[in-house]
Amino acid sequence: DVRNLIKVYEGKTRALDGVDLKVEAGEVFALLGPNGAGKTTLIRILTTQLRPTSGEAYVFGLNVAREGSKVRRLISYVPQEMSVWVDVSGYENLLVYAKIFGIPSQERKKTISEALESMGMDEVANNLVGTYSGGMVRRLEIACAMLIKPRIMFLDEPTIGLDVAARRKIWDHIRALKGRGMTIFVTTHYM
């Protein structure tokens, strides 16, 4: 729930100018706009990485500026930039993230296996990420974000730089996440 959100950088660049929007729980919401429209700024505010200049933003009723630690327990975020290591396997990436996220050691193997399977990555889990296609890397990044079973997943330009077939696969996986009751917030500049 975003109300009159404004973000001004260094007192002059207005990245957001009074944004209002409401996303219902369980929806897949896509924010469409060209590069430079403020999509990433909005997602960074909603994921508690940036503070708004003015206005308010809430995630499941929690104010993102005042209750950031509570918000972060409910969300996961896949940035535009690559967020996995290419010199280790997909499984090893997930293991590192599971440790970072504090998933108990006795639950890690099962949790990682479920994330890999849900993204269709179980057969390539032990391959080096450097051998993956662009679409496979994005699916691995989404699998990493799924480890904590978030209530809402933020995906910033999840299909950027991918060919049509790879984009279609990513969208199929995003639709499948909705079937799990997860809210999905996506930014994109692709129609």
Side-chain angles (χ1 to χ4, degrees), residues 45 53 187:
I45 290 171
T53 303
T187 67

Side-chain angles (χ1 to χ4, degrees), residues 2-191:
V2 176
R3 302 173 192 165
N4 196 32
L5 206 62
I6 295 171
K7 178 63 179 177
V8 179
Y9 289 104
E10 299 176 12
K12 53 186 170 200
T13 304
R14 189 173 285 262
L16 300 176
D17 191 14
V19 174
D20 290 298
L21 63 89
K22 188 168 182 76
V23 178
E24 298 296 328
E27 279 188 340
V28 173
F29 179 86
L31 183 63
L32 177 66
N35 290 333
K39 300 180 305 293
T40 296
T41 296
L42 177 60
I43 228 172
R44 287 185 177 156
I45 290 171
L46 294 174
T47 57
T48 75
Q49 298 172 65
L50 289 176
R51 294 182 72 80
T53 303
S54 65
E56 294 186 334
Y58 299 87
V59 172
F60 292 108
L62 300 170
N63 185 293
V64 298
R66 291 190 301 269
E67 300 171 283
S69 62
K70 290 179 182 176
V71 170
R72 287 187 292 276
R73 288 186 212 128
L74 303 175
I75 68 172
S76 62
Y77 169 61
V78 178
Q80 283 184 50
E81 305 81 22
M82 186 182 290
S83 59
V84 293
W85 297 273
V86 297
D87 55 347
V88 297
S89 71
Y91 183 89
E92 289 167 323
N93 269 280
L94 286 161
L95 182 59
V96 168
Y97 275 104
K99 290 177 180 181
I100 290 170
F101 294 149
I103 296 171
S105 57
Q106 65 273 15
E107 295 175 24
R108 287 181 194 146
K109 188 173 183 178
K110 180 178 184 263
T111 303
I112 290 169
S113 179
E114 289 170 354
L116 285 165
E117 186 178 331
S118 71
M119 294 308 291
M121 304 284 300
D122 39 348
E123 290 184 18
V124 296
N126 294 314
N127 297 359
L128 289 178
V129 173
T131 66
Y132 288 7
S133 68
M136 291 168 69
V137 169
R138 289 311 268 175
R139 289 185 357 234
L140 177 64
E141 291 173 322
I142 294 169
C144 290
M146 290 174 57
L147 289 171
I148 59 167
K149 298 177 176 64
R151 287 185 60 195
I152 183 168
M153 183 181 295
F154 292 93
L155 302 166
D156 195 4
E157 300 280 1
T159 61
I160 194 165
L162 301 180
D163 63 43
V164 174
R167 279 200 306 261
R168 192 169 292 132
K169 261 188 180 173
I170 294 294
W171 282 113
D172 288 344
H173 286 289
I174 290 170
R175 282 187 206 93
L177 293 174
K178 181 183 186 243
R180 297 167 179 237
M182 191 183 304
T183 304
I184 312 292
F185 188 107
V186 179
T187 67
T188 185
H189 62 262
Y190 291 121
M191 288 295 286

